[in-house]
Amino acid sequence: MSERYIEITSEEINFEKLYDFCNENHFGAVNVFFGVTRNFNNNKKVLFLEYEAYEEMSKKIINQIIDEMMNKWDIGKVAISHRFGRVNIGKISMILVISSKHRKNSISATDYFIDRLKEIVPIWKKEFYEDGENWLSSTPG
Amino acid sequence: MFSVKIIFFSILREKLNLREIFIECEKNTTLIQAIEILQKQIDIADYDLKSCMFAVNQKYVENSYILNENDEIAVIPPVSGGSNIIE
C-alpha cells in the first residue's frame, strides 16, 4: 500500500516527511490539515492534553477510512500522523496530507477523514485543567 | 471452555483501574454473552457500557459475534481523536 502512510507517534510530528510522501509531480493539489490543541474548551482553561490510542486497531481503522475515501474521490496519496501521550497547548496533535490531481477531491476527502476519525478511530483525549481533568467524549473533538 | 481477553481504554480503564481481564467462555458464546459474564466478574455498570463499541481482534463486530479461543475483545468508549477544535 505505497499510496498511504499511517503513523501514531509520541514524538513531534514531522510535517515535511508527510508532505514529501504525498507530493508527486502529477498531483496538482496537496491539501494539508493540522489539528492543533486549543487552550480553552467548555469555558475552561486547558493546560495540556493527553491522548491514548489503541494503536494497532487505530492503524487498521485509518486504513479502512482511506479505502472509503479512495472509493469516493479520485485522490493520490494520503499521509496521516496522530500523536499519543502528552501534547501541550498550541502543539500539533495530528497532520493529514492528501494529494490529488484536482483540489476539490483532496479537500472533500480531508473533511470526510476527520469526521470518520472522530467517529470510529480508537483514540481518546483527556484535557487537564487547573482544577482537574476530563476525558472528552466524541465531538466536539 | 476457553478464555478470552477483554481490554479497556481511557475513561473506562481509569474508572475500573483495570487494563485487561480474562473471562471463561463456552463454545458458541456471543460477544453480548461475554459482556454478561464480565459483569458477573467485575463491577461494571450497564450505563458505562451503553455508550461503548466493541471490537474483537481489532475489528468492530456485532453483539451476535461468536467468540473463539484467543479472541481479544476491546471495549471502546466514545472516541475523541483529532484536536480539541469546536465544530
Side-chain angles (χ1 to χ4, degrees):
Chain A
M1 286 194 252
S2 59
E3 80 276 13
R4 57 188 76 181
Y5 176 82
I6 300 167
E7 176 184 82
I8 312 282
T9 178
S10 61
E11 307 284 316
E12 274 196 29
I13 299 171
N14 181 340
F15 165 67
E16 286 189 8
K17 183 174 71 180
L18 305 179
Y19 178 79
D20 288 346
F21 178 84
C22 291
N23 183 24
E24 290 181 3
N25 288 343
H26 53 286
F27 299 130
V30 181
N31 194 59
V32 180
F33 174 82
F34 290 88
V36 184
T37 51
R38 297 166 67 246
N39 65 348
F40 261 88
N41 199 6
N42 298 323
N43 298 318
K44 278 192 141 182
K45 187 179 179 201
V46 182
L47 302 179
F48 62 93
L49 289 93
E50 253 179 37
Y51 287 85
E52 178 174 334
Y54 184 9
E55 194 176 337
E56 289 311 308
M57 181 169 167
S58 289
K59 287 182 181 172
K60 286 184 184 174
I61 300 291
I62 287 170
N63 253 315
Q64 176 197 318
I65 296 171
I66 295 172
D67 288 342
E68 293 168 10
M69 289 182 339
M70 290 192 163
N71 283 331
K72 281 174 180 283
W73 293 283
D74 180 11
I75 53 174
K77 296 175 90 174
V78 179
I80 160 87
S81 180
H82 198 298
R83 291 283 300 270
F84 71 87
R86 177 173 169 152
V87 180
N88 288 331
I89 296 306
K91 296 289 182 185
I92 295 162
S93 54
M94 70 166 282
I95 299 178
L96 171 66
V97 183
I98 305 178
S99 55
S100 57
K101 287 185 188 126
H102 305 289
R103 72 182 147 79
K104 281 189 180 168
N105 288 330
S106 51
I107 290 172
S108 300
T110 297
D111 212 22
Y112 178 84
F113 182 93
I114 295 160
D115 284 345
R116 292 292 279 153
L117 172 93
K118 288 168 184 296
E119 281 171 8
I120 59 169
V121 177
I123 297 176
W124 302 266
K125 66 172 164 276
K126 190 187 206 181
E127 288 182 340
F128 288 78
Y129 317 107
E130 276 157 352
D131 61 349
E133 55 197 55
N134 187 34
W135 285 103
L136 298 188
S137 62
S138 202
T139 48
Chain B
M1 299 281 277
F2 57 90
S3 67
V4 164
K5 184 158 88 171
I6 304 183
I7 54 178
F8 303 99
F9 294 94
S10 73
I11 193 166
L12 211 48
R13 174 180 54 74
E14 284 191 351
K15 205 166 186 175
L16 300 171
N17 194 24
L18 191 66
R19 278 185 186 277
E20 60 179 57
I21 190 170
F22 286 87
I23 60 161
E24 291 294 314
C25 295
E26 289 172 12
K27 202 175 171 218
N28 294 326
T29 297
T30 62
L31 173 68
I32 195 74
Q33 288 168 335
I35 298 303
E36 286 164 9
I37 294 167
L38 171 72
Q39 285 185 291
K40 285 179 190 150
Q41 218 162 305
I42 61 169
D43 188 15
I44 175 169
D46 285 342
Y47 172 81
D48 286 324
L49 292 172
K50 203 170 63 180
S51 57
C52 292
M53 295 189 284
F54 298 98
V56 175
N57 305 333
Q58 305 176 2
K59 274 188 189 155
Y60 290 112
V61 294
E62 301 290 324
N63 288 345
S64 58
Y65 177 91
I66 292 173
L67 292 159
N68 296 297
E69 193 164 5
N70 299 322
D71 275 350
E72 181 184 84
I73 301 172
V75 184
I76 312 274
V79 302
S80 53
S83 59
N84 52 343
I85 42 180
I86 304 276
E87 302 279 331

